[in-house]
Amino acid sequence: MVADAPVAPTSELPAHLAVHDDLLAQGSPCRVSLHTHPIELVALSHSRRWLEEDALTRMLWSMIPETRAFCPRGLGVVPYMLPGSVELAAATRSALARGYDVVLWEKHGVFAVDTDILEAFDQVDVLNKAAQIYLSGKAMGFEPEGMSDGQMNELAKVFSLPVK
Ligand SMILES: [Zn+2]
Protein backbone atom coordinates (compact mmCIF):
# COMPACT_ATOMS: atom_id res chain seq x y z
CA MET A 1 0.00 0.00 0.00
CA VAL A 2 1.30 3.43 -0.91
CA ALA A 3 0.30 5.76 1.87
CA ASP A 4 0.59 8.99 -0.06
CA ALA A 5 -1.01 7.84 -3.33
CA PRO A 6 -4.09 9.88 -4.17
CA VAL A 7 -7.29 7.84 -4.08
CA ALA A 8 -9.95 9.03 -6.49
CA PRO A 9 -13.54 8.46 -5.43
CA THR A 10 -15.64 6.02 -7.43
CA SER A 11 -17.31 7.45 -10.53
CA GLU A 12 -20.59 6.26 -9.00
CA LEU A 13 -20.22 8.56 -5.99
CA PRO A 14 -23.66 10.20 -6.58
CA ALA A 15 -25.44 6.82 -6.22
CA HIS A 16 -23.45 5.75 -3.16
CA LEU A 17 -23.98 9.09 -1.38
CA ALA A 18 -27.68 9.30 -2.25
CA VAL A 19 -28.35 5.76 -1.07
CA HIS A 20 -26.37 6.16 2.16
CA ASP A 21 -28.28 9.37 2.82
CA ASP A 22 -31.53 7.39 2.54
CA LEU A 23 -30.25 4.50 4.68
CA LEU A 24 -29.26 6.92 7.46
CA ALA A 25 -32.57 8.79 7.25
CA GLN A 26 -34.49 5.50 7.51
CA GLY A 27 -32.41 4.21 10.42
CA SER A 28 -31.64 1.19 8.24
CA PRO A 29 -29.32 -1.54 9.57
CA CYS A 30 -27.63 -1.47 6.14
CA ARG A 31 -24.18 0.11 6.33
CA VAL A 32 -22.62 -0.62 2.94
CA SER A 33 -23.37 -0.15 -0.73
CA LEU A 34 -21.59 -2.18 -3.39
CA HIS A 35 -21.43 -1.55 -7.12
CA THR A 36 -19.88 -4.06 -9.52
CA HIS A 37 -20.17 -5.46 -13.06
CA PRO A 38 -21.12 -9.18 -12.86
CA ILE A 39 -20.84 -10.50 -16.40
CA GLU A 40 -23.83 -12.87 -16.55
CA LEU A 41 -26.31 -10.46 -14.92
CA VAL A 42 -25.19 -7.66 -17.24
CA ALA A 43 -25.52 -10.02 -20.23
CA LEU A 44 -29.14 -10.80 -19.27
CA SER A 45 -29.88 -7.07 -19.04
CA HIS A 46 -29.32 -6.84 -22.80
CA SER A 47 -32.64 -8.64 -23.37
CA ARG A 48 -35.95 -6.75 -23.09
CA ARG A 49 -37.48 -9.97 -21.79
CA TRP A 50 -35.57 -9.68 -18.51
CA LEU A 51 -36.12 -5.97 -17.98
CA GLU A 52 -39.84 -6.32 -17.18
CA GLU A 53 -40.57 -5.74 -13.47
CA ASP A 54 -39.63 -8.90 -11.52
CA ALA A 55 -39.23 -11.14 -14.63
CA LEU A 56 -35.54 -11.56 -13.86
CA THR A 57 -36.16 -12.00 -10.12
CA ARG A 58 -38.57 -14.88 -10.72
CA MET A 59 -36.28 -16.60 -13.20
CA LEU A 60 -33.21 -16.26 -10.95
CA TRP A 61 -35.12 -17.43 -7.86
CA SER A 62 -36.29 -20.49 -9.78
CA MET A 63 -32.80 -21.61 -10.82
CA ILE A 64 -31.61 -22.77 -7.37
CA PRO A 65 -33.28 -22.50 -3.95
CA GLU A 66 -30.47 -20.52 -2.29
CA THR A 67 -31.18 -17.51 -4.52
CA ARG A 68 -34.52 -16.82 -2.89
CA ALA A 69 -33.12 -17.51 0.58
CA PHE A 70 -30.17 -15.14 0.15
CA CYS A 71 -31.99 -12.49 -1.92
CA PRO A 72 -35.56 -12.68 -0.62
CA ARG A 73 -36.53 -9.24 -1.92
CA GLY A 74 -35.32 -9.91 -5.44
CA LEU A 75 -33.55 -7.82 -8.02
CA GLY A 76 -34.87 -4.41 -9.04
CA VAL A 77 -34.17 -3.09 -12.53
CA VAL A 78 -33.10 0.41 -13.50
CA PRO A 79 -33.15 1.31 -17.22
CA TYR A 80 -29.89 2.38 -18.86
CA MET A 81 -28.71 5.81 -17.73
CA LEU A 82 -25.40 7.64 -17.99
CA PRO A 83 -22.88 6.12 -15.54
CA GLY A 84 -22.09 8.39 -12.61
CA SER A 85 -25.13 10.60 -13.25
CA VAL A 86 -27.46 12.02 -10.62
CA GLU A 87 -30.33 10.53 -12.67
CA LEU A 88 -28.89 7.05 -12.16
CA ALA A 89 -28.49 7.79 -8.46
CA ALA A 90 -32.14 8.92 -8.23
CA ALA A 91 -33.43 5.86 -10.10
CA THR A 92 -31.37 3.59 -7.84
CA ARG A 93 -32.69 5.10 -4.60
CA SER A 94 -36.20 4.84 -6.07
CA ALA A 95 -35.74 1.12 -6.87
CA LEU A 96 -34.35 0.47 -3.38
CA ALA A 97 -37.34 2.33 -1.92
CA ARG A 98 -39.60 -0.20 -3.70
CA GLY A 99 -38.13 -2.85 -1.40
CA TYR A 100 -35.17 -4.33 -3.27
CA ASP A 101 -31.74 -4.88 -1.71
CA VAL A 102 -30.05 -5.31 -5.08
CA VAL A 103 -30.67 -3.31 -8.24
CA LEU A 104 -29.59 -4.19 -11.79
CA TRP A 105 -28.44 -1.29 -13.91
CA GLU A 106 -29.31 -2.14 -17.53
CA LYS A 107 -26.22 -2.88 -19.65
CA HIS A 108 -23.92 -1.77 -16.80
CA GLY A 109 -23.89 -3.63 -13.46
CA VAL A 110 -25.54 -4.05 -10.08
CA PHE A 111 -25.86 -1.96 -6.93
CA ALA A 112 -26.45 -3.72 -3.59
CA VAL A 113 -26.98 -2.59 0.00
CA ASP A 114 -26.54 -4.71 3.10
CA THR A 115 -25.33 -4.76 6.70
CA ASP A 116 -21.70 -5.45 5.74
CA ILE A 117 -19.66 -5.84 2.59
CA LEU A 118 -19.54 -9.65 2.70
CA GLU A 119 -23.34 -9.87 2.92
CA ALA A 120 -23.68 -7.44 0.01
CA PHE A 121 -21.16 -9.43 -2.03
CA ASP A 122 -22.96 -12.67 -1.17
CA GLN A 123 -26.25 -11.34 -2.56
CA VAL A 124 -24.64 -10.33 -5.83
CA ASP A 125 -22.67 -13.58 -6.03
CA VAL A 126 -25.75 -15.75 -5.47
CA LEU A 127 -27.78 -13.80 -8.05
CA ASN A 128 -24.98 -14.06 -10.59
CA LYS A 129 -24.61 -17.80 -9.89
CA ALA A 130 -28.30 -18.23 -10.70
CA ALA A 131 -27.74 -16.27 -13.93
CA GLN A 132 -24.81 -18.58 -14.75
CA ILE A 133 -27.01 -21.65 -14.21
CA TYR A 134 -29.65 -20.23 -16.55
CA LEU A 135 -27.10 -19.37 -19.21
CA SER A 136 -25.41 -22.78 -18.83
CA GLY A 137 -28.73 -24.45 -19.66
CA LYS A 138 -29.17 -22.15 -22.66
CA ALA A 139 -25.60 -22.93 -23.78
CA MET A 140 -26.46 -26.65 -23.62
CA GLY A 141 -29.34 -25.97 -25.98
CA PHE A 142 -32.40 -25.97 -23.71
CA GLU A 143 -34.54 -23.45 -21.82
CA PRO A 144 -33.94 -24.22 -18.11
CA GLU A 145 -37.19 -25.37 -16.54
CA GLY A 146 -36.81 -23.59 -13.21
CA MET A 147 -38.52 -24.49 -9.95
CA SER A 148 -42.32 -24.32 -10.11
CA ASP A 149 -44.32 -21.55 -8.37
CA GLY A 150 -45.50 -24.22 -5.92
CA GLN A 151 -41.93 -25.21 -5.09
CA MET A 152 -40.91 -21.57 -4.62
CA ASN A 153 -43.95 -20.81 -2.48
CA GLU A 154 -43.15 -23.83 -0.30
CA LEU A 155 -39.62 -22.52 0.12
CA ALA A 156 -40.87 -19.06 1.11
CA LYS A 157 -43.30 -20.57 3.62
CA VAL A 158 -40.89 -23.01 5.28
CA PHE A 159 -38.06 -20.46 5.51
CA SER A 160 -40.38 -17.51 6.40
CA LEU A 161 -39.22 -15.48 3.39
CA PRO A 162 -41.02 -12.33 2.27
CA VAL A 163 -43.59 -13.00 -0.46
CA LYS A 164 -43.19 -10.95 -3.62
ZN1 LIG B 1 -19.98 0.74 -13.01
Side-chain angles (χ1 to χ4, degrees):
M1 183 176 153
V2 181
D4 295 329
V7 179
T10 168
S11 59
E12 298 301 345
L13 197 60
H16 287 283
L17 289 179
V19 167
H20 278 281
D21 196 36
D22 286 346
L23 295 174
L24 283 170
Q26 296 156 5
S28 168
C30 292
R31 292 285 178 273
V32 302
S33 58
L34 168 71
H35 168 57
T36 186
H37 307 140
I39 293 169
E40 288 79 5
L41 287 172
V42 174
L44 288 169
S45 80
H46 284 260
S47 166
R48 291 285 130 210
R49 174 184 177 189
W50 300 120
L51 297 176
E52 300 291 324
E53 183 90 2
D54 289 331
L56 193 53
T57 291
R58 292 191 178 284
M59 181 275 278
L60 295 172
W61 277 353
S62 79
M63 286 297 108
I64 178 170
E66 76 167 340
T67 312
R68 185 152 190 184
F70 278 83
C71 310
R73 280 176 278 279
L75 182 61
V77 175
V78 167
Y80 181 83
M81 292 177 194
L82 184 68
S85 64
V86 293
E87 291 77 15
L88 181 57
T92 301
R93 74 199 306 185
S94 164
L96 292 171
R98 293 199 301 276
Y100 299 104
D101 289 329
V102 187
V103 176
L104 177 69
W105 291 350
E106 179 186 338
K107 302 181 182 83
H108 179 162
V110 297
F111 190 99
V113 298
D114 214 318
T115 51
D116 67 50
I117 196 69
L118 288 179
E119 296 292 327
F121 176 84
D122 245 8
Q123 288 203 79
V124 173
D125 191 47
V126 165
L127 287 163
N128 201 56
K129 185 199 296 181
Q132 288 174 317
I133 292 168
Y134 176 80
L135 293 172
S136 295
K138 296 289 279 186
M140 287 186 276
F142 62 88
E143 177 74 20
E145 184 175 80
M147 296 158 57
S148 68
D149 287 347
Q151 289 167 333
M152 290 204 290
N153 290 339
E154 177 189 43
L155 194 69
K157 190 174 169 190
V158 171
F159 290 93
S160 302
L161 303 172
V163 176
K164 189 112 195 155

